[in-house]
Coordinates of all heavy atoms in Angstrom, one line a residue:
M17 N 34.5 147.5 80.9 CA 33.3 147.7 80.1 C 32.9 146.4 79.4 O 31.7 146.0 79.4 CB 33.4 148.9 79.1 CG 32.3 149.2 78.3 SD 31.1 150.2 79.1 CE 30.1 150.7 77.8
G18 N 33.8 145.8 78.6 CA 33.5 144.6 77.9 C 33.1 143.5 78.8 O 32.2 142.7 78.4
C19 N 33.7 143.3 79.9 CA 33.3 142.3 80.9 C 31.9 142.4 81.4 O 31.2 141.5 81.5 CB 34.3 142.3 82.1 SG 34.0 141.0 83.3
T20 N 31.5 143.7 81.6 CA 30.1 143.9 82.1 C 29.1 143.5 81.0 O 28.1 142.9 81.3 CB 29.9 145.4 82.4 OG1 30.9 145.8 83.3 CG2 28.5 145.7 82.9
I21 N 29.4 143.8 79.7 CA 28.5 143.4 78.6 C 28.4 141.9 78.6 O 27.3 141.3 78.4 CB 29.0 144.0 77.3 CG1 28.8 145.5 77.3 CG2 28.2 143.4 76.1 CD1 29.4 146.2 76.2
V22 N 29.6 141.2 78.7 CA 29.6 139.7 78.7 C 28.8 139.2 79.8 O 28.0 138.2 79.7 CB 31.0 139.2 78.7 CG1 31.0 137.7 78.9 CG2 31.7 139.5 77.4
M23 N 28.9 139.7 81.0 CA 28.2 139.3 82.2 C 26.7 139.5 82.0 O 25.9 138.6 82.3 CB 28.7 140.0 83.4 CG 30.0 139.5 83.9 SD 30.7 140.4 85.3 CE 29.3 140.5 86.5
R24 N 26.3 140.6 81.4 CA 24.9 140.9 81.2 C 24.3 139.9 80.2 O 23.2 139.4 80.3 CB 24.7 142.3 80.6 CG 24.8 143.4 81.7 CD 24.4 144.7 81.1 NE 24.8 145.7 82.0 CZ 25.1 147.0 81.7 NH1 25.1 147.3 80.4 NH2 25.4 147.9 82.6
T25 N 25.1 139.6 79.1 CA 24.6 138.7 78.1 C 24.5 137.3 78.7 O 23.5 136.6 78.4 CB 25.6 138.7 76.9 OG1 25.7 140.0 76.4 CG2 25.2 137.8 75.8
T26 N 25.5 136.9 79.5 CA 25.4 135.6 80.1 C 24.2 135.5 81.1 O 23.4 134.5 81.0 CB 26.7 135.3 80.9 OG1 27.8 135.4 80.0 CG2 26.7 133.9 81.5
R27 N 24.0 136.6 81.8 CA 22.9 136.6 82.8 C 21.5 136.6 82.0 O 20.6 135.9 82.4 CB 22.9 137.9 83.6 CG 22.0 137.9 84.8 CD 22.1 139.1 85.7 NE 23.5 139.5 85.9 CZ 23.9 140.7 85.8 NH1 23.1 141.7 85.5 NH2 25.2 141.0 86.0
H28 N 21.5 137.3 80.9 CA 20.3 137.3 80.1 C 20.0 135.9 79.5 O 18.8 135.5 79.6 CB 20.5 138.3 78.9 CG 19.3 138.4 78.0 ND1 18.2 139.1 78.3 CD2 19.1 137.8 76.8 CE1 17.3 139.0 77.3 NE2 17.8 138.2 76.4
R29 N 21.0 135.3 79.0 CA 20.7 133.9 78.4 C 20.3 133.0 79.5 O 19.4 132.1 79.4 CB 22.0 133.4 77.7 CG 22.1 133.9 76.3 CD 23.3 133.3 75.7 NE 24.4 133.7 76.4 CZ 25.6 133.9 75.9 NH1 25.9 133.5 74.6 NH2 26.6 134.3 76.6
R30 N 20.9 133.0 80.7 CA 20.6 132.1 81.8 C 19.2 132.4 82.3 O 18.4 131.5 82.5 CB 21.6 132.3 82.9 CG 21.3 131.4 84.1 CD 22.3 131.6 85.2 NE 22.4 132.9 85.7 CZ 23.5 133.7 85.8 NH1 24.6 133.2 85.3 NH2 23.4 134.9 86.2
T31 N 18.8 133.7 82.4 CA 17.4 134.0 82.8 C 16.4 133.6 81.8 O 15.4 133.1 82.1 CB 17.3 135.6 83.1 OG1 18.3 135.9 84.1 CG2 15.9 135.9 83.5
R32 N 16.7 133.8 80.5 CA 15.8 133.4 79.5 C 15.5 131.9 79.5 O 14.4 131.5 79.3 CB 16.4 133.8 78.1 CG 15.4 134.0 77.1 CD 15.8 135.2 76.2 NE 14.9 135.1 75.1 CZ 14.0 136.0 74.9 NH1 13.8 137.1 75.6 NH2 13.2 135.9 73.8
R33 N 16.5 131.1 79.8 CA 16.2 129.7 79.9 C 15.3 129.3 81.1 O 14.7 128.3 81.1 CB 17.6 128.9 80.1 CG 18.4 128.9 78.8 CD 19.5 127.9 78.9 NE 20.4 128.2 80.0 CZ 21.5 128.9 80.0 NH1 21.9 129.4 78.8 NH2 22.3 129.1 81.0
R34 N 15.3 130.2 82.1 CA 14.5 130.0 83.3 C 13.1 130.5 83.2 O 12.3 130.3 84.1 CB 15.2 130.6 84.5 CG 16.5 130.0 84.8 CD 17.2 130.7 85.9 NE 18.4 130.0 86.4 CZ 19.3 130.5 87.1 NH1 19.2 131.7 87.5 NH2 20.3 129.7 87.5
L35 N 12.7 131.2 82.2 CA 11.4 131.9 82.2 C 10.2 131.0 82.2 O 9.2 131.3 82.9 CB 11.3 132.9 80.9 CG 12.3 134.1 81.0 CD1 12.1 134.9 79.7 CD2 12.1 134.9 82.2
D36 N 10.3 129.9 81.5 CA 9.2 128.9 81.5 C 9.0 128.4 82.9 O 7.8 128.3 83.4 CB 9.4 127.8 80.5 CG 8.2 127.0 80.3 OD1 7.1 127.6 79.9 OD2 8.2 125.8 80.4
A37 N 10.0 128.0 83.6 CA 10.0 127.5 85.0 C 9.5 128.7 85.9 O 8.7 128.4 86.9 CB 11.3 127.0 85.4
Y38 N 9.9 129.9 85.6 CA 9.4 131.0 86.4 C 7.9 131.2 86.3 O 7.2 131.3 87.3 CB 10.1 132.3 86.0 CG 9.6 133.6 86.6 CD1 9.9 133.9 87.9 CD2 8.7 134.4 85.9 CE1 9.4 135.1 88.5 CE2 8.2 135.6 86.5 CZ 8.6 135.9 87.7 OH 8.1 137.0 88.3
V39 N 7.4 131.1 85.1 CA 5.9 131.3 84.9 C 5.2 130.1 85.6 O 4.1 130.4 86.2 CB 5.6 131.3 83.4 CG1 4.1 131.1 83.2 CG2 6.1 132.6 82.8
D40 N 5.8 129.0 85.6 CA 5.1 127.8 86.3 C 5.4 127.7 87.8 O 5.0 126.8 88.4 CB 5.6 126.5 85.6 CG 5.1 126.3 84.2 OD1 4.1 127.0 83.9 OD2 5.6 125.5 83.5
A41 N 6.1 128.7 88.3 CA 6.5 128.8 89.8 C 7.3 127.5 90.2 O 7.1 127.0 91.2 CB 5.3 129.0 90.6
E42 N 8.2 127.1 89.3 CA 9.0 125.9 89.6 C 10.4 126.2 89.9 O 11.2 125.3 90.1 CB 9.0 125.0 88.3 CG 7.6 124.4 88.0 CD 7.6 123.7 86.7 OE1 8.5 123.8 85.9 OE2 6.6 123.0 86.5
L43 N 10.8 127.5 90.0 CA 12.2 127.9 90.3 C 12.4 127.8 91.8 O 11.5 128.0 92.6 CB 12.5 129.3 89.9 CG 12.6 129.5 88.4 CD1 12.8 131.0 88.1 CD2 13.7 128.6 87.8
A44 N 13.6 127.5 92.2 CA 14.0 127.6 93.6 C 13.8 129.0 94.1 O 14.0 130.0 93.4 CB 15.5 127.1 93.8
A45 N 13.4 129.1 95.4 CA 13.1 130.4 95.9 C 14.3 131.4 95.8 O 14.1 132.6 95.6 CB 12.7 130.3 97.4
G46 N 15.5 130.9 95.9 CA 16.7 131.8 95.8 C 16.9 132.3 94.4 O 17.6 133.3 94.3
V47 N 16.4 131.7 93.4 CA 16.6 132.1 92.0 C 15.6 133.2 91.6 O 15.8 134.0 90.8 CB 16.5 130.9 91.1 CG1 16.7 131.3 89.6 CG2 17.6 129.9 91.5
V48 N 14.4 133.1 92.2 CA 13.3 134.0 91.8 C 13.6 135.5 91.8 O 13.4 136.2 90.9 CB 12.0 133.7 92.6 CG1 10.9 134.7 92.3 CG2 11.5 132.3 92.3
P49 N 14.3 136.0 92.9 CA 14.6 137.4 92.9 C 15.6 137.8 91.8 O 15.4 138.9 91.2 CB 15.3 137.6 94.3 CG 14.8 136.5 95.1 CD 14.6 135.3 94.2
D50 N 16.5 136.9 91.4 CA 17.4 137.2 90.3 C 16.6 137.4 89.0 O 16.8 138.3 88.2 CB 18.4 136.2 90.1 CG 19.4 136.1 91.3 OD1 19.6 137.1 92.0 OD2 20.0 135.0 91.5
V51 N 15.7 136.5 88.8 CA 14.8 136.5 87.5 C 14.0 137.8 87.6 O 13.9 138.5 86.6 CB 14.0 135.2 87.4 CG1 13.0 135.4 86.3 CG2 14.8 134.0 87.2
E52 N 13.4 138.1 88.7 CA 12.5 139.3 88.8 C 13.3 140.5 88.6 O 12.8 141.5 87.9 CB 11.7 139.2 90.1 CG 10.7 138.2 90.0 CD 9.9 138.0 91.3 OE1 10.3 138.5 92.4 OE2 8.8 137.4 91.3
R53 N 14.5 140.6 89.1 CA 15.4 141.8 88.9 C 15.7 141.9 87.4 O 15.6 143.0 86.9 CB 16.6 141.6 89.7 CG 17.4 142.8 90.0 CD 18.5 142.7 91.0 NE 19.0 141.4 91.3 CZ 18.7 140.7 92.4 NH1 17.8 141.2 93.3 NH2 19.2 139.5 92.6
H54 N 16.0 140.8 86.8 CA 16.2 140.9 85.3 C 15.0 141.3 84.6 O 15.1 142.2 83.6 CB 16.7 139.5 84.8 CG 17.0 139.5 83.3 ND1 18.1 140.0 82.8 CD2 16.2 139.1 82.3 CE1 18.0 139.9 81.5 NE2 16.9 139.3 81.1
L55 N 13.8 140.8 84.9 CA 12.6 141.2 84.3 C 12.3 142.7 84.4 O 11.8 143.3 83.5 CB 11.4 140.4 84.8 CG 11.4 138.9 84.4 CD1 10.3 138.2 85.1 CD2 11.3 138.8 82.9
D56 N 12.7 143.3 85.6 CA 12.6 144.7 85.8 C 13.4 145.5 84.8 O 13.0 146.6 84.4 CB 13.0 145.1 87.2 CG 12.0 144.7 88.3 OD1 10.8 144.4 87.9 OD2 12.4 144.6 89.4
E57 N 14.5 144.9 84.3 CA 15.4 145.6 83.5 C 15.3 145.3 82.0 O 15.9 146.0 81.1 CB 16.9 145.3 83.9 CG 17.2 145.7 85.3 CD 18.5 145.2 85.8 OE1 19.2 144.5 85.0 OE2 18.9 145.5 87.0
C58 N 14.6 144.2 81.7 CA 14.7 143.7 80.3 C 13.2 143.6 79.7 O 12.5 142.6 80.0 CB 15.3 142.3 80.3 SG 15.5 141.6 78.7
P59 N 12.9 144.5 78.8 CA 11.6 144.5 78.2 C 11.4 143.2 77.3 O 10.2 142.7 77.2 CB 11.5 145.8 77.4 CG 12.9 146.3 77.3 CD 13.7 145.7 78.4
D60 N 12.4 142.7 76.7 CA 12.3 141.5 75.9 C 11.8 140.3 76.7 O 11.0 139.6 76.3 CB 13.6 141.2 75.1 CG 13.9 142.2 74.0 OD1 12.9 142.9 73.6 OD2 15.0 142.3 73.6
C61 N 12.5 140.2 77.8 CA 12.1 139.0 78.7 C 10.7 139.2 79.3 O 10.0 138.2 79.5 CB 13.2 138.8 79.8 SG 14.7 138.0 79.1
R62 N 10.4 140.4 79.7 CA 9.0 140.7 80.2 C 8.0 140.3 79.1 O 7.0 139.7 79.4 CB 8.8 142.2 80.6 CG 9.4 142.5 81.9 CD 8.9 143.9 82.4 NE 9.1 145.0 81.5 CZ 10.2 145.7 81.4 NH1 11.2 145.5 82.2 NH2 10.2 146.7 80.5
T63 N 8.2 140.7 77.9 CA 7.3 140.3 76.8 C 7.3 138.8 76.6 O 6.2 138.2 76.4 CB 7.8 141.0 75.5 OG1 7.8 142.4 75.6 CG2 6.9 140.5 74.3
T64 N 8.4 138.1 76.7 CA 8.4 136.7 76.7 C 7.6 136.0 77.8 O 6.8 135.1 77.5 CB 9.9 136.2 76.7 OG1 10.6 136.7 75.6 CG2 9.9 134.6 76.7
V65 N 7.7 136.6 79.0 CA 6.8 136.1 80.1 C 5.4 136.2 79.8 O 4.6 135.3 79.9 CB 7.2 136.8 81.4 CG1 6.2 136.5 82.5 CG2 8.6 136.3 81.9
V66 N 5.0 137.4 79.2 CA 3.6 137.6 78.8 C 3.2 136.6 77.8 O 2.1 136.0 77.9 CB 3.4 139.0 78.3 CG1 2.0 139.2 77.7 CG2 3.5 140.0 79.5
L67 N 4.0 136.4 76.8 CA 3.7 135.4 75.7 C 3.6 134.0 76.3 O 2.7 133.2 75.9 CB 4.7 135.5 74.6 CG 4.7 136.8 73.8 CD1 5.8 136.9 72.8 CD2 3.4 137.0 73.1
I68 N 4.5 133.6 77.1 CA 4.4 132.2 77.7 C 3.1 132.1 78.5 O 2.4 131.0 78.4 CB 5.6 132.0 78.7 CG1 6.9 131.9 77.9 CG2 5.4 130.7 79.5 CD1 8.2 131.9 78.7
R69 N 2.7 133.1 79.3 CA 1.5 133.0 80.1 C 0.3 132.9 79.1 O -0.6 132.1 79.4 CB 1.3 134.2 81.0 CG 2.3 134.1 82.2 CD 2.1 135.3 83.1 NE 2.9 135.0 84.3 CZ 3.6 136.0 84.9 NH1 3.4 137.3 84.6 NH2 4.3 135.7 86.0
R70 N 0.3 133.7 78.1 CA -0.9 133.6 77.1 C -0.9 132.2 76.4 O -2.0 131.6 76.3 CB -0.7 134.7 76.0 CG -1.0 136.0 76.4 CD -0.9 137.0 75.3 NE -1.1 138.4 75.8 CZ -0.8 139.4 75.1 NH1 -0.2 139.3 73.9 NH2 -1.0 140.6 75.5
L71 N 0.2 131.7 76.1 CA 0.3 130.4 75.4 C -0.2 129.3 76.4 O -1.0 128.5 76.0 CB 1.7 130.1 75.0 CG 1.9 128.7 74.3 CD1 1.1 128.5 73.1 CD2 3.4 128.5 74.1
K72 N 0.2 129.4 77.6 CA -0.2 128.4 78.6 C -1.7 128.4 78.8 O -2.4 127.4 78.9 CB 0.5 128.5 79.9 CG 2.0 128.0 79.7 CD 2.8 128.1 81.0 CE 4.2 127.7 80.8 NZ 4.3 126.2 80.8
R73 N -2.3 129.7 78.9 CA -3.7 129.8 79.1 C -4.5 129.3 77.9 O -5.5 128.6 78.0 CB -4.1 131.3 79.3 CG -3.9 131.8 80.7 CD -4.6 133.1 81.0 NE -4.2 134.1 80.1 CZ -3.2 135.0 80.3 NH1 -2.6 134.9 81.5 NH2 -2.9 135.9 79.5
S74 N -4.0 129.6 76.7 CA -4.6 129.1 75.5 C -4.6 127.6 75.4 O -5.6 126.9 75.0 CB -3.9 129.7 74.2 OG -4.1 131.0 74.1
L75 N -3.5 127.0 75.7 CA -3.4 125.5 75.7 C -4.3 124.9 76.8 O -4.9 123.9 76.5 CB -1.9 125.1 76.0 CG -1.0 125.4 74.8 CD1 0.5 125.0 75.3 CD2 -1.3 124.6 73.6
A76 N -4.4 125.5 77.9 CA -5.3 125.0 79.0 C -6.8 125.1 78.5 O -7.5 124.2 78.7 CB -5.1 125.8 80.3
R77 N -7.1 126.2 77.8 CA -8.5 126.4 77.3 C -8.7 125.4 76.2 O -9.8 124.8 76.2 CB -8.6 127.8 76.8 CG -10.0 128.2 76.5 CD -10.2 129.7 76.2 NE -9.1 130.4 75.6 CZ -8.3 131.2 76.2 NH1 -8.5 131.5 77.4 NH2 -7.3 131.8 75.5
L78 N -7.8 125.1 75.4 CA -7.9 124.2 74.3 C -8.1 122.8 74.9 O -9.0 122.0 74.4 CB -6.7 124.2 73.4 CG -6.7 123.2 72.2 CD1 -7.9 123.5 71.3 CD2 -5.4 123.4 71.4
A79 N -7.4 122.4 75.9 CA -7.5 121.1 76.5 C -8.9 120.9 77.1 O -9.5 119.9 77.0 CB -6.4 120.9 77.5
R80 N -9.3 122.0 77.8 CA -10.7 122.0 78.4 C -11.7 121.8 77.3 O -12.7 121.0 77.5 CB -10.9 123.2 79.2 CG -12.1 123.2 80.0 CD -12.3 124.5 80.9 NE -12.2 125.7 80.1 CZ -11.2 126.6 80.2 NH1 -10.2 126.4 81.0 NH2 -11.2 127.7 79.5
D81 N -11.6 122.6 76.2 CA -12.6 122.5 75.2 C -12.6 121.1 74.5 O -13.6 120.6 74.1 CB -12.3 123.6 74.1 CG -12.6 125.0 74.6 OD1 -13.2 125.1 75.7 OD2 -12.1 125.9 73.9
D82 N -11.4 120.5 74.4 CA -11.3 119.2 73.8 C -12.1 118.2 74.7 O -12.8 117.3 74.2 CB -9.9 118.7 73.7 CG -9.2 119.1 72.4 OD1 -10.0 119.7 71.5 OD2 -8.0 118.8 72.2
R83 N -11.9 118.3 76.0 CA -12.7 117.4 76.9 C -14.2 117.6 76.7 O -14.9 116.6 76.7 CB -12.3 117.6 78.3 CG -10.9 116.9 78.7 CD -10.7 116.9 80.2 NE -10.7 118.2 80.8 CZ -9.7 118.9 80.9 NH1 -8.5 118.5 80.5 NH2 -9.7 120.1 81.5
T84 N -14.6 118.8 76.6 CA -16.0 119.1 76.5 C -16.5 118.5 75.1 O -17.6 117.9 75.0 CB -16.3 120.6 76.5 OG1 -15.8 121.1 77.8 CG2 -17.7 120.9 76.4
A85 N -15.7 118.7 74.1 CA -16.1 118.2 72.8 C -16.2 116.7 72.8 O -17.1 116.1 72.2 CB -15.1 118.7 71.7
L86 N -15.2 116.0 73.5 CA -15.3 114.6 73.5 C -16.5 114.1 74.3 O -17.2 113.1 73.9 CB -14.0 114.1 74.2 CG -13.8 112.6 74.3 CD1 -13.9 111.9 73.0 CD2 -12.5 112.2 75.0
E87 N -16.9 114.8 75.4 CA -18.1 114.4 76.1 C -19.3 114.6 75.3 O -20.2 113.7 75.3 CB -18.2 115.2 77.4 CG -17.1 114.9 78.4 CD -17.0 115.9 79.5 OE1 -17.9 116.8 79.6 OE2 -16.0 115.8 80.3
R88 N -19.4 115.7 74.5 CA -20.5 115.9 73.6 C -20.6 114.8 72.5 O -21.7 114.3 72.2 CB -20.5 117.3 73.0 CG -20.8 118.4 73.9 CD -21.0 119.7 73.1 NE -20.1 120.0 72.1 CZ -19.0 120.8 72.2 NH1 -18.8 121.4 73.3 NH2 -18.2 120.9 71.2
L89 N -19.4 114.4 72.0 CA -19.4 113.4 71.0 C -19.8 112.1 71.5 O -20.6 111.4 70.9 CB -18.0 113.3 70.4 CG -17.8 112.2 69.3 CD1 -18.6 112.4 68.1 CD2 -16.3 112.1 68.9
R90 N -19.4 111.7 72.7 CA -19.8 110.5 73.3 C -21.3 110.5 73.5 O -22.0 109.5 73.3 CB -19.1 110.3 74.7 CG -17.7 109.9 74.6 CD -17.1 109.7 75.9 NE -15.7 109.2 75.8 CZ -14.8 109.6 76.7 NH1 -15.0 110.4 77.7 NH2 -13.5 109.2 76.5
G91 N -21.9 111.6 74.0 CA -23.3 111.7 74.2 C -24.1 111.5 72.9 O -25.1 110.8 72.8
W92 N -23.6 112.2 71.8 CA -24.2 112.1 70.5 C -24.2 110.6 70.0 O -25.2 110.1 69.5 CB -23.5 113.0 69.5 CG -24.1 113.0 68.2 CD1 -25.2 113.6 67.7 CD2 -23.5 112.2 67.1 NE1 -25.4 113.3 66.4 CE2 -24.4 112.5 66.0 CE3 -22.4 111.4 66.9 CZ2 -24.1 111.9 64.7 CZ3 -22.2 110.8 65.6 CH2 -23.0 111.1 64.6
V93 N -23.0 110.0 70.1 CA -22.9 108.6 69.7 C -23.8 107.7 70.5 O -24.5 106.8 69.9 CB -21.4 108.1 69.8 CG1 -21.3 106.6 69.6 CG2 -20.5 108.9 68.8
A94 N -23.9 107.9 71.8 CA -24.8 107.0 72.6 C -26.2 107.3 72.2 O -27.0 106.3 72.1 CB -24.6 107.4 74.1
A95 N -26.6 108.5 71.9 CA -28.0 108.8 71.5 C -28.2 108.1 70.1 O -29.3 107.6 69.9 CB -28.2 110.3 71.4
E96 N -27.3 108.2 69.2 CA -27.5 107.6 67.9 C -27.6 106.1 68.0 O -28.3 105.4 67.3 CB -26.3 108.0 67.0 CG -26.4 109.4 66.5 CD -27.6 109.7 65.7 OE1 -27.9 108.9 64.7 OE2 -28.3 110.7 66.0
L97 N -26.8 105.5 68.9 CA -26.8 104.0 69.0 C -28.1 103.5 69.7 O -28.5 102.4 69.4 CB -25.6 103.6 69.8 CG -24.3 103.7 69.1 CD1 -23.1 103.3 70.0 CD2 -24.2 102.9 67.8
T98 N -28.6 104.3 70.6 CA -29.8 103.8 71.3 C -31.1 104.3 70.7 O -32.2 103.7 71.1 CB -29.8 104.3 72.8 OG1 -29.7 105.7 72.8 CG2 -28.6 103.7 73.5
G99 N -31.1 105.2 69.9 CA -32.4 105.7 69.3 C -33.1 106.7 70.1 O -32.7 106.9 71.3
P100 N -34.2 107.3 69.7 CA -34.9 108.3 70.4 C -35.5 107.9 71.7 O -35.7 108.6 72.6 CB -35.9 108.8 69.4 CG -36.1 107.8 68.4 CD -34.8 107.0 68.4
R101 N -35.9 106.6 71.8 CA -36.6 106.2 73.0 C -35.7 105.4 74.0 O -36.1 104.8 74.9 CB -37.8 105.3 72.7 CG -38.9 106.0 71.9 CD -40.0 105.1 71.6 NE -39.4 104.1 70.7 CZ -40.0 103.1 70.1 NH1 -41.3 102.9 70.4 NH2 -39.5 102.3 69.3
G102 N -34.4 105.3 73.6 CA -33.5 104.6 74.4 C -33.4 103.1 74.0 O -32.7 102.3 74.6
D103 N -34.1 102.7 73.0 CA -34.0 101.4 72.5 C -32.8 101.2 71.6 O -32.5 102.1 70.7 CB -35.3 101.0 71.6 CG -36.5 101.1 72.4 OD1 -36.5 100.8 73.6 OD2 -37.6 101.5 71.8
P104 N -32.1 100.1 71.7 CA -30.9 99.9 70.8 C -31.4 99.8 69.4 O -32.5 99.3 69.1 CB -30.3 98.6 71.3 CG -30.9 98.3 72.7 CD -32.2 99.1 72.7
R105 N -30.6 100.3 68.5 CA -31.0 100.3 67.1 C -30.5 99.0 66.4 O -29.6 98.4 66.8 CB -30.3 101.5 66.3 CG -31.0 102.8 66.7 CD -30.5 103.9 65.8 NE -31.4 105.0 66.1 CZ -31.2 106.2 65.5 NH1 -30.3 106.3 64.6 NH2 -32.0 107.2 65.8

């Protein structure tokens, strides 16, 4: 009984370390079924996967918004430097 608990704990820790790579589809094909089997059994790790995916989407959206903001700022600066008719100020 104690050995099974230790094996589960070890498997849980090993899987938990792999979750980020799992979300990014960076795991070796042979490892994926083990991770997915663990996710079927572990609500904590399933929640972690959901949170990792949300975080990655938020960061991607933030990066995209930053590029858009930078482009708008460049346009505004160019407009301010050239004036309303395109003449340099």
Side-chain angles (χ1 to χ4, degrees):
M17 178 87 168
C19 183
T20 303
I21 291 171
V22 170
M23 285 175 49
R24 283 187 194 153
T25 302
T26 302
R27 190 176 321 131
H28 178 81
R29 279 186 293 210
R30 183 178 56 237
T31 300
R32 204 141 168 113
R33 286 192 304 266
R34 294 174 170 166
L35 292 179
D36 195 54
Y38 172 77
V39 168
D40 290 341
E42 295 174 345
L43 290 178
V47 176
V48 172
D50 294 335
V51 171
E52 290 177 342
R53 196 169 20 261
H54 178 79
L55 290 173
D56 287 342
E57 301 169 359
C58 182
D60 289 340
C61 285
R62 281 195 307 270
T63 298
T64 300
V65 166
V66 168
L67 293 174
I68 291 169
R69 286 182 175 145
R70 284 183 186 165
L71 177 61
K72 288 180 181 283
R73 277 194 304 267
S74 294
L75 290 173
R77 190 170 33 253
L78 181 61
R80 186 177 56 248
D81 291 347
D82 270 357
R83 281 193 300 273
T84 302
L86 184 57
E87 290 166 10
R88 285 194 317 260
L89 178 61
R90 283 182 180 145
W92 179 80
V93 169
E96 287 296 312
L97 291 175
T98 58
R101 295 178 298 179
D103 299 328
R105 289 187 173 181

